[in-house]
Amino acid sequence: MSVSPLSRLQDMASPGRLSLHENLSAAWQSPSNIAIVKYWGKKDGQLPATPSLSMTLDLAVSKTSLLVSVEETPKGLISVNDDPNHPFLPKMQQFFHWMTGEIPLFNKITATVTTHNSFPHSTGIASSASGMSAFTLCLLSVANRILEAGISTEELIHLASYAARMGSGSACRSLYKGFTVWGKSTCVPASADEYAIPVNESVHPEMLSLRDAILVISGNPKSLPSTLGHRSMNGHPFFSGRIGQANHNLEEALHALASNDFEKLSFIAECEALTLHALIMSADPGTILMKPATLLAIDAIRNARKGGLPLFFTLDAGANVHVMYPATSEFQVEKYINDVLRPLCEDGRVIFDGCGRGPVCIEAR
Ligand code: DP6
């Protein structure tokens, strides 16, 4: 059995460091991300069945703080935002339980979490990616300090990517700025199923300032939890073909990013988004997540592109539409969004964001 990278924390711990501590805290801000090549379908061990490629967002972040005491009678993770019945608590406790298996120190703590998103719920922005990555960073920062392990921030971020995927797969891609690949692929030699890696060095600078406007077509919570969605790929008749397609699309998308080929990136991103929905619709049971206004927006985006405007769409597992465009054409594209696409949105809601800079440590005390 391979050794978990998280054992590094315990290995580096100063001997006898586990004395009682009161009120240690850590706080991180971590972003959400939007996938260009989609992760949909898993292997055992919370590993992705296909590689994926995402762009880290800038303004859509979770700000999370963790307060911890090392105690003789520890209670584990007891509340989120001072609420012992908070809806996020069970998923966070499940992840905390897994972390405890990896870092036994967590058996000795009582912890509370405070977390807030900069973006509203059900907008098509993945709060599990930002929230779980921020929570993981807080846990690892606190462990690093209590154990006096002296792990550098760079290594901590790598360990956080390894761990965060157990909270939510896409969260492991939120640990880095710019563009990130998760999942082993022959076209990215350093890639791995267990953690994500940044690929910005081979991305053209113009692609690193890509914008993303989220059209909030529906603010209703999406009707397909991603865990069920991933599971529905087991035995799906199209899934073996999907694996080859995702690997091919990753290679093509990386070429497009390197050569600033917007047209190619548009083709891949839209193919990925529509494939995701085709897989979801044709699963057993199948679900239609797009709304009529989703299709109207897709049609309008494609028409505008035919007319020479540089923009493309992608979709998550929901009805809302991410519109992506280069910062150099921001003025023209945002005018089009405001004039033509905004009226398709619920209450005219559009959230403007773009390619982001990754997590930020807010506090470690
Ligand atoms: C459609 O990361 O939410 O957004 O690992 O079960 O937490 P779990 O799934 P999750 O799945 C994200 C699926 C997606 C595509 C993507 O982000 O790649």
Side-chain angles (χ1 to χ4, degrees), residues 36 207 210 253 256-257 261-269 312:
I36 306 283
M207 289 290 188
L210 217 56
L257 287 174
D261 187 340
F262 192 81
E263 206 182 312
K264 191 183 217 174
L265 191 66
S266 306
F267 176 79
I268 301 292
F312 64 82

Side-chain angles (χ1 to χ4, degrees), residues 22 94 158 178 296 305:
E22 276 186 12
Q94 198 183 354
H158 167 69
L296 291 174
R305 193 164 67 244

Side-chain angles (χ1 to χ4, degrees), residues 33-42 46 51-54 91 126 128-129 132 164-173 182 222 225-231 276-277 280 315-318:
N33 67 73
I34 176 70
I36 306 283
V37 177
K38 307 293 179 183
Y39 148 56
W40 199 244
K42 303 185 193 194
Q46 182 66 0
S52 58
L53 165 73
S54 64
K91 206 166 174 201
S128 60
M132 277 298 175
R165 78 164 207 283
M166 300 305 294
S168 179
S170 52
C172 79
R173 298 186 311 230
W182 174 37
K222 63 183 181 190
S226 44
T227 310
L228 289 184
H230 288 289
R231 202 174 297 149
L276 171 70
H277 280 258
I280 292 170
L315 306 165
D316 248 330

Side-chain angles (χ1 to χ4, degrees), residues 47-70:
L47 300 172
T50 68
S52 58
L53 165 73
S54 64
M55 184 180 89
T56 295
L57 295 179
D58 191 32
L59 304 176
V61 296
S62 295
K63 288 187 182 176
T64 302
S65 52
L66 177 74
L67 189 63
V68 157
S69 299
V70 180

Side-chain angles (χ1 to χ4, degrees), residues 117-148:
N117 296 335
S118 64
F119 51 93
H121 277 304
S122 305
T123 49
I125 301 176
S127 61
S128 60
S130 54
M132 277 298 175
S133 54
F135 180 43
T136 309
L137 284 164
C138 290
L139 285 168
L140 292 181
S141 290
V142 157
N144 197 22
R145 290 218 327 285
I146 296 176
L147 296 169
E148 296 184 5

